[in-house]
């Protein structure tokens, strides 16, 4: 038997968690006025390799690269930002009158990494990018957008970790300080750190191998190397977050993996009890020079990306209240005359918004009844030769257990009324997926 590839997975019964998350994403994106953008799953290899520098977690060793039949080098997208930025430039979206331009995406990403709990080779990300403003209020908005999604999903034990890297001058001063700090010890640190020392010293702070070493604990902090303007930007981000009642933990060791970040960087984590070590569910920040680096005009931007699998895992641990999969009516069919009628009725009801299922297995009455229970049918309708002749149907309400005979001409209106009444009576309508 052919099995799925390592690091990939099938979504079967968990699909309802994905759908609940997607529904919430659409709702919150609408509230914050971000518009969906869809970009290709593969891009020219140069997009990722040029955009993110050499020593980051998402280039070369972790991307899926392949040559197509035309000899072009392609890469399966390992993240969403680079593709969105490419589309922003290629489609001249920067010339659109609406400012800032706010986009969100949802789609599969591919990284050739070692699979473990919460880490896959193909996974889903929901991300957002706001282009055109360098104002700290939009850094705060993007964090509020992410947090509002989590609140909508009723996820508890969530913390927002915030830091700033400052812009070019602050980052350069900080990198110099880091190089100076590590220069005598770097040869005793891991191989990755030695490469990072040369290419992107900031990333030494992300190292999991050497993180407990004293030299790491005493490393310089970004906050001490900020220019006055960058310091003000960071203070304002925090003020705006406070105004929105969003609590954050300022963590000066947070630098994020990619070297394109400037100013604000943040990560959202759920407690380790829920997800273990892969407990970061969202990461983001400002990237004021990426558009230019990729050949566009000078356009500041800020964004984030969520890992959907980790969100699903967290929701399951939180006992997220999924709405039961249920149908409105199951039609039990007693003979072939009834089948023709059932097909006709089902189509009419479905067009009117009533979720209808019918027997296709030619099973016994009892077996069909069992099927109606598997489908969680609210109503069961029984159709035989007699019912067709009399132009009526026997309907049982599985909730109240009331059985009645309804004229087929009145079936739609009768069911619609009963279902509307149920909706009006619903006390828990703002729970779970329905919110
Ligand atoms: P990144 O693009 O690396 O900043 O990741 C953003 C978010 O995507 C992380 O916080 C994770 O939730 C998720 N993520 C990143 N890599 C993976 C992966 N290999 N498998 C599943 N989720 C991932």
């Amino acid at each position: 038997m052919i099995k799925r590839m390592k690091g990939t997975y099938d979504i079967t019964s968990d699909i309802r968690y994905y759908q609940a998350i997607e529904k919430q994403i659409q709702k919150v994106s609408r509230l914050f006025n971000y518009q969906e953008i869809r970009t290709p799953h593969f891009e020219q290899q140069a997009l990722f390799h040029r955009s993110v520098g050499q020593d980051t977690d998402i280039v070369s060793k972790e991307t899926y690269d392949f040559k197509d039949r035309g000899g072009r080098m392609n890469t399966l997208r390992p993240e969403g930002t680079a593709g969105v930025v490419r589309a922003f430039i290629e489609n001249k979206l920067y010339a659109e009158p609406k400012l800032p331009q706010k986009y969100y995406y949802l789609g599969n990403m591919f990284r050739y990494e070692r699979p473990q709990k919460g880490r896959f080779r193909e996974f889903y990300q929901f991300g957002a990018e706001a282009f055109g403003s360098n104002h700290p209020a939009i850094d705060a908005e993007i964090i509020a957008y992410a947090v509002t999604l989590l609140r909508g999903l009723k996820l508890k034990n969530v913390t927002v970790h915030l830091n700033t890297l400052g812009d070019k001058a602050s980052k350069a001063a900080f990198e110099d300080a880091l190089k100076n700090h590590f220069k005598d010890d770097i040869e005793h640190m891991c191989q990755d750190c030695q490469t990072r020392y040369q290419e992107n010293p900031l990333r030494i702070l992300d190292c999991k191998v050497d993180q407990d070493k004293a030299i790491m604990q005493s490393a310089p902090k970004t906050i001490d190397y900020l220019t006055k303007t960058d310091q003000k930007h960071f203070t304002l981000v925090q003020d705006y977050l406070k105004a929105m009642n969003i609590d954050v933990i300022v963590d000066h060791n947070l630098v994020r993996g990619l070297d394109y970040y400037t100013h604000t960087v943040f990560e959202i984590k759920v407690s380790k009890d829920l997800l273990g070590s892969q407990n970061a569910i969202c990461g983001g920040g400002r990237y004021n020079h990426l558009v230019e680096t990729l050949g566009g005009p000078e356009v500041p931007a800020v964004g984030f990306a969520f890992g959907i699998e980790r969100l699903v895992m967290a929701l399951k641990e939180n006992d997220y209240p999924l709405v039961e999969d249920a149908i409105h009516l199951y039609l039990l069919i007693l003979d072939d005359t009834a089948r023709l009628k059932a097909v006709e009725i089902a189509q009419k009801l479905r067009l009117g918004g009533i979720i209808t299922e019918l027997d296709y297995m030619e099973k016994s009455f009892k077996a069909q009844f069992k099927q109606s229970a598997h489908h969680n049918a609210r109503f069961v309708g029984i159709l035989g030769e007699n019912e067709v002749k009399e132009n009526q149907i026997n309907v049982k309400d599985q909730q109240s257990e009331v059985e009645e005979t309804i004229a087929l001409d009145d079936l739609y209106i009768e069911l619609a009324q009963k279902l509307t009444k149920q909706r009006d009576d619903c006390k828990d309508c703002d729970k779970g997926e329905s919110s």
Side-chain angles (χ1 to χ4, degrees), residues 57-58 78-80 111 113-114 116 118-125 256-258 260-261 267-268 278-284 304-311:
D57 277 348
I58 68 161
E79 50 110 56
R111 294 184 192 178
E113 46 192 1
R114 196 167 49 80
Q116 50 181 290
R119 192 177 277 276
F120 302 91
R121 288 184 170 173
E122 178 174 359
F123 59 100
Y124 286 80
Q125 277 189 341
R256 307 272 305 127
L258 309 181
Y260 57 56
Y261 285 113
E267 239 169 41
I268 304 182
Q278 304 296 324
N279 64 336
I281 48 172
C282 172
F304 64 66
F306 270 94
I308 302 287
E309 290 73 14
R310 296 186 196 177
L311 263 181

Side-chain angles (χ1 to χ4, degrees), residues 157-262:
N157 305 325
V158 173
T159 45
V160 181
H161 301 253
L162 182 73
N163 192 21
T164 181
L165 305 174
D167 210 337
K168 282 180 179 166
S170 307
K171 270 180 88 172
F174 180 56
E175 280 177 1
D176 280 349
L178 280 176
K179 280 197 139 178
N180 200 32
H181 176 77
F182 286 109
K183 75 172 181 303
D184 295 333
D185 292 79
I186 195 67
E187 62 193 60
H188 306 298
M189 295 175 72
C190 75
Q191 196 52 50
D192 279 349
C193 277
Q194 296 186 21
T195 320
R196 288 165 181 158
Y197 184 84
Q198 296 303 333
E199 289 171 0
N200 184 3
L202 242 71
R203 288 223 47 233
I204 296 178
L205 300 178
D206 269 347
C207 180
K208 301 277 180 284
V209 182
D210 291 322
Q211 65 181 356
D212 296 328
K213 289 199 171 140
I215 190 80
M216 283 291 218
Q217 311 297 323
S218 59
K221 306 236 176 294
T222 53
I223 193 80
D224 298 323
Y225 296 86
L226 296 179
T227 60
K228 275 219 158 60
T229 322
D230 295 353
Q231 172 67 59
K232 190 168 169 220
H233 187 107
F234 189 50
T235 310
L236 284 172
V237 171
Q238 293 173 80
D239 290 347
Y240 292 123
L241 286 168
K242 211 173 202 174
M244 290 187 281
N245 271 329
I246 293 171
D247 294 331
V248 294
I249 299 169
V250 174
D251 173 359
H252 292 304
N253 286 324
L254 178 69
V255 291
R256 307 272 305 127
L258 309 181
D259 59 1
Y260 57 56
Y261 285 113
T262 52

